[in-house]
Amino acid sequence: MSPEKHKILLFASEKFFKDGFNKTSMDEIAKDMKISKKTIYKHFSSKSEIVETTVETLKSSLKRTLDEIISQDSSSINKLIKISTTLLNVLFRVSDVWLKDLRLYSPELWNRIEEFRSRTFMSVFRSILDQGKTEKLIIDRPNIIILTTMMGGIRSVINPDFLINNKFSANEAGRICLDIMITGILTEKGIQIFKKTKMEMSHEEI
């Protein structure tokens, strides 16, 4: 991707994440970037292409980060916290308007995100569950039940209708949901380590 195309994509993505894409015009993007619409169309055939590229880029970046975390030589608790932080950082970037626009005006993309979320979630957390059970930090219950329960919770909470009707931001709802889900699958020893590790990590960030 050329530097110019990357710059346009980065700017448009952040604008879409903040304001949604349905009411954001190409004229508005060009004006805010102080470039011509012709320059944008040189790299993207339509606004829909920018939206799709935004989604695919975010998915690729997230998958790469999650794979790196999973491959690290660290405890399951450490990995759970890092993955939770990564997911919350994504949710912090996007607004409820962006999520609503995707579901209403680009259902195909929304379905792709749902499929990616399910597939990636299952793969990543299955690996952590197996490791955590070996470490005696995660409860010994069938993976498929734990994963299906967690996935159902995420789908229900990180949902435009739920967020709007209950006046939660995606980041706030995601943080509470992940915290409940993680502590719910830990053993007593796991919960103690989780609280200690979380505190240590927060101090490192200060």
Side-chain angles (χ1 to χ4, degrees):
M1 186 181 295
S2 69
E4 186 175 58
K5 183 174 182 178
H6 178 72
K7 184 178 180 181
I8 293 170
L9 178 63
L10 188 63
F11 183 90
S13 296
E14 291 304 320
K15 190 164 186 63
F16 290 157
F17 289 153
K18 180 183 177 183
D19 303 325
F21 60 83
N22 183 51
K23 293 184 179 180
T24 301
S25 66
M26 295 288 259
D27 284 319
E28 190 177 346
I29 294 172
K31 180 181 177 182
D32 290 348
M33 289 192 71
K34 296 181 173 56
I35 60 175
S36 67
K37 253 199 323 184
K38 184 178 178 181
T39 300
I40 297 177
Y41 282 118
K42 184 173 73 174
H43 299 288
F44 298 97
S45 62
S46 63
K47 183 173 72 172
S48 294
E49 185 183 354
I50 302 180
V51 174
E52 182 172 3
T53 306
T54 294
V55 169
E56 293 304 321
T57 300
L58 182 61
K59 282 166 53 181
S60 297
S61 174
L62 181 57
K63 180 67 165 58
R64 187 167 53 251
T65 301
L66 294 178
D67 286 343
E68 288 173 357
I69 293 172
I70 287 297
S71 65
Q72 291 174 358
D73 183 18
S74 59
S75 73
S76 56
I77 300 294
N78 191 281
K79 290 177 182 179
L80 279 172
I81 294 174
K82 286 185 176 181
I83 285 174
S84 298
T85 301
T86 298
L87 295 177
L88 290 175
N89 285 339
V90 171
L91 291 174
F92 182 75
R93 292 175 63 195
V94 304
S95 67
D96 305 338
V97 182
W98 159 258
L99 295 175
K100 186 176 181 179
D101 278 359
L102 277 173
R103 202 171 74 160
L104 288 179
Y105 304 108
S106 192
E108 183 184 343
L109 269 182
W110 177 262
N111 289 336
R112 268 197 255 168
I113 291 172
E114 284 282 271
E115 193 274 333
F116 168 82
R117 185 162 62 176
S118 297
R119 186 181 68 251
T120 304
F121 181 93
M122 289 290 187
S123 173
V124 167
F125 279 92
R126 184 178 291 110
S127 171
I128 294 179
L129 289 178
D130 289 338
Q131 180 183 345
K133 288 176 184 179
T134 301
E135 297 168 337
K136 306 297 183 186
L137 301 177
I138 291 178
I139 58 176
D140 187 16
R141 295 290 186 274
N143 283 354
I144 189 61
I145 292 180
I146 295 176
L147 291 169
T148 303
T149 301
M150 293 175 75
M151 195 67 235
I154 290 175
R155 278 205 184 105
S156 298
V157 172
I158 310 304
N159 176 297
D161 291 336
F162 175 87
L163 297 173
I164 291 170
N165 292 335
N166 294 282
K167 296 180 174 58
F168 285 110
S169 69
N171 179 265
E172 182 184 12
R175 177 177 52 78
I176 295 171
C177 183
L178 285 169
D179 199 57
I180 290 173
M181 288 191 302
I182 290 174
T183 54
I185 65 172
L186 298 179
T187 60
E188 289 186 17
K189 178 183 176 183
I191 291 175
Q192 291 175 356
I193 295 176
F194 174 71
K195 291 178 178 178
K196 181 182 178 182
T197 305
K198 201 172 179 182
M199 188 177 297
E200 290 172 351
M201 286 185 169
S202 65
H203 287 159
E204 288 175 4
E205 293 172 359
I206 295 176

